[in-house]
């Protein structure tokens, strides 16, 4: 019998993926209806860890609604969402975020008048200085937290080459810088699965490749990403697998190259 000195210590069970390939998120028969509109209809999907999964499809396909249902900002009409082995279907968004399931949000308009650094601090959870109790207990109580969060924010700013913008108002940022701030705000929550809805939209073409570089670097450090994006050449570069939605349903998944070979998918979306 051959002796494998560097064999995987855990024996895989036939038919099951190896433990490190167990899906981080499993959506089971998820639907979301709006008064008769079947925005998402019976979508089942596994998100594998350590990858960028692409989610593409025409406008109105249900991609944003599906991400919102996964994040818990919209309740599902039916179906279940398992994150890291736990059924989170009934949990509100902030409790899913605490478990590491986090989506980006477009910068709310009132945050335009905060600086970049303040935006990052406001995104962080458990900032006790923001609570009534923290305010009553005084600065000594939460100063340690604040210092830690400022440090965490500055590490992100450095990484995204935004340190020089720290004290600028968010309203003064370019489209691309706003997208980066949205991603940094989500990263302040230390996600394990980051849900990105069109992180390259409204971004100058010269910056699109930078955003892809940042996403790939995060992926290479172990962050799992599910990304809706219309920039198909970037999806092709970054994402595997790619999932195609149309009219609320998943109509195919695989590598972008494989999807391009499927006539019905090309007809539904990949024309041109
Ligand atoms: P995508 O992100 O793929 O463009 P959406 O998830 O935004 O698609 O929308 C899917 C469908 O659900 C569309 O028909 C849209 O009009 C509808 N829809 C989305 N949000 C709402 C809502 N809050 N109320 C009613 N209909 C909605
Ligand atoms: Mg959308």
């Amino acid at each position: 019998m051959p002796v494998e000195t560097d064999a995987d210590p855990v024996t895989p069970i036939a038919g099951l993926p190896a433990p490190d390939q167990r899906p981080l998120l499993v959506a089971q028969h998820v639907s979301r209806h709006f008064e008769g509109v079947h925005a998402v209809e019976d979508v089942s999907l596994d998100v594998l860890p350590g990858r960028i999964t692409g989610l593409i499809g025409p406008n109105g396909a249900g991609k944003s609604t599906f991400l919102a249902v996964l994040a818990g900002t919209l309740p599902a009409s039916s179906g279940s969402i398992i994150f890291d082995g736990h059924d989170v279907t009934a949990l509100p968004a902030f409790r899913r975020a605490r478990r590491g399931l986090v989506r980006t949000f477009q910068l709310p308009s009132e945050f335009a008048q905060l600086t970049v650094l303040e935006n990052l601090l406001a995104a962080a959870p458990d900032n006790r200085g923001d609570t009534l109790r923290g305010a009553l207990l005084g600065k000594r109580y939460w100063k340690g937290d604040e210092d830690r969060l400022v440090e965490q924010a500055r590490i992100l700013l450095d990484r995204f080459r935004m340190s020089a913008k720290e004290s600028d108002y968010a309203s003064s940022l370019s489209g691309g810088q706003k997208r980066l701030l949205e991603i940094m705000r989500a990263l302040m929550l230390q996600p394990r699965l980051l849900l990105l809805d069109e992180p390259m939209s409204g971004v100058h073409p010269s910056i699109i490749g930078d955003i892809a570089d940042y996403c790939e670097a995060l992926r290479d450090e172990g962050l799992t990403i599910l990304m809706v994006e219309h920039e198909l050449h970037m999806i092709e570069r970054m994402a595997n697998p790619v999932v195609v939605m149309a009219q609320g349903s998943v109509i195919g998944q695989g590598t972008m190259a494989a999807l391009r070979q499927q006539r019905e998918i090309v007809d539904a979306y990949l024309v041109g």
Side-chain angles (χ1 to χ4, degrees), residues 127-142:
N127 191 343
R128 286 179 283 178
D130 282 350
T131 65
L132 180 60
R133 181 158 176 266
L136 292 175
L137 286 168
K139 208 170 174 65
R140 232 173 354 137
Y141 174 68
W142 53 269

Side-chain angles (χ1 to χ4, degrees), residues 107-108 111-112 114-124 170 181 185:
L107 292 177
F111 282 37
L114 295 182
T115 68
V116 167
L117 181 63
E118 286 164 349
N119 264 279
L120 293 179
L121 299 180
L181 181 55
R185 280 170 52 82

